[in-house]
């Protein structure tokens, strides 16, 4: 699974986009998600486009963290060995997503889109989250990156081949 957020990869990182497009053609089962309020050319290779409300990135990924914990999709051994402050981050994520209807309204996508994203992330061993300046260079950049990284730390999907958060910067 590849999650693309904060980037119109097709325009801003065309070499990486072409490699990802070729990988999708060679392996159609590769599930690609684009998180972007706009429908861009990057969506052409996506299995799922999440047109979230601008600024809803932190909520989306915090909701994912809460979902992973609720569905017992975390890796307690990894968390204990390699993280600090995980319980605090999880409490915050659970609190933010507690009122499900209000949460979904704030994010701006349907329940079925949210469920498909969360369930696929939870059930896929190798997940790569590609993020760029739309995440890094916002007024909430640190929070956005933390919310993405927390989902990878929670599942132990970091520091292993084919998985983890991946910041692409520059043109």
């Amino acid at each position: 699974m590849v999650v693309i957020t904060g980037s119109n990869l097709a325009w801003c990182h065309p070499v990486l986009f072409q490699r990802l497009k070729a990988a999708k053609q060679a392996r159609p089962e590769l599930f690609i998600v684009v998180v972007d309020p706009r429908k861009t050319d990057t969506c052409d290779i996506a299995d799922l486009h999440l047109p979230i409300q601008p600024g809803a990135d932190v909520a989306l990924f915090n909701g994912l963290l809460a979902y992973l914990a609720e569905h017992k999709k975390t890796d307690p051994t990894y968390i204990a060995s390699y993280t600090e402050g995980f319980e605090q981050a999880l409490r915050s994520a659970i609190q933010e997503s507690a009122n499900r209807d209000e949460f979904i309204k704030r994010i701006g996508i349907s329940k079925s889109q949210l469920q498909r994203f969360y369930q696929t992330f939870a059930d896929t061993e190798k997940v790569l989250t590609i993020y760029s300046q739309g995440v890094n260079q916002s007024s909430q950049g640190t929070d956005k990156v933390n919310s993405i990284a927390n989902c990878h730390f929670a599942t132990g999907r970091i520091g292993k081949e084919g998985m983890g958060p991946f910041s692409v910067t520059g043109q």
Side-chain angles (χ1 to χ4, degrees):
M1 176 179 190
V2 176
V3 180
I4 303 167
T5 186
S7 176
N8 180 3
L9 209 62
W11 285 13
C12 299
H13 300 279
V15 174
L16 179 58
F17 178 77
Q18 290 303 317
R19 288 184 180 187
L20 187 56
K21 184 177 179 180
K24 176 69 174 169
Q25 289 171 342
R27 295 182 31 232
E29 71 278 6
L30 175 63
F31 193 80
I32 299 176
V33 178
V34 174
V35 179
D36 194 321
R38 306 162 300 142
K39 183 169 177 37
T40 66
D41 289 348
T42 302
C43 295
D44 292 348
I45 64 168
D47 297 287
L48 180 62
H49 172 222
L50 300 177
I52 64 170
Q53 291 295 317
D57 313 69
V58 174
L60 178 71
F61 285 98
N62 279 348
L64 175 58
L65 180 61
Y67 180 93
L68 294 166
E70 178 185 342
H71 291 86
K72 310 278 190 256
K73 295 291 187 168
T74 60
D75 183 339
T77 303
Y78 190 92
I79 292 166
S81 298
Y82 299 105
T83 69
E84 293 178 13
F86 178 77
E87 290 303 321
Q88 181 183 356
L90 180 57
R91 275 193 306 275
S92 178
I94 290 170
Q95 182 179 5
E96 181 171 12
S97 61
N99 182 332
R100 192 54 109 190
D101 290 334
E102 184 180 302
F103 176 74
I104 290 170
K105 184 178 177 181
R106 188 171 20 136
I107 292 175
I109 59 175
S110 71
K111 287 181 183 182
S112 63
Q113 288 173 306
L114 189 68
Q115 177 66 30
R116 186 172 182 206
F117 173 52
Y118 286 1
Q119 188 66 53
T120 305
F121 190 106
D123 292 342
T124 304
E125 178 186 358
K126 290 188 175 187
V127 178
L128 178 69
T129 303
I130 300 171
Y131 61 95
S132 190
Q133 278 116 333
V135 168
N136 296 336
Q137 294 183 357
S138 78
S139 60
Q140 299 173 332
T142 301
D143 293 336
K144 289 179 180 185
V145 173
N146 280 340
S147 67
I148 292 167
N150 286 343
C151 295
H152 285 274
F153 283 125
T155 55
R157 295 178 186 152
I158 191 166
K160 299 173 188 169
E161 185 177 331
M163 60 182 86
F166 179 47
S167 175
V168 292
T169 56
Q171 294 293 328

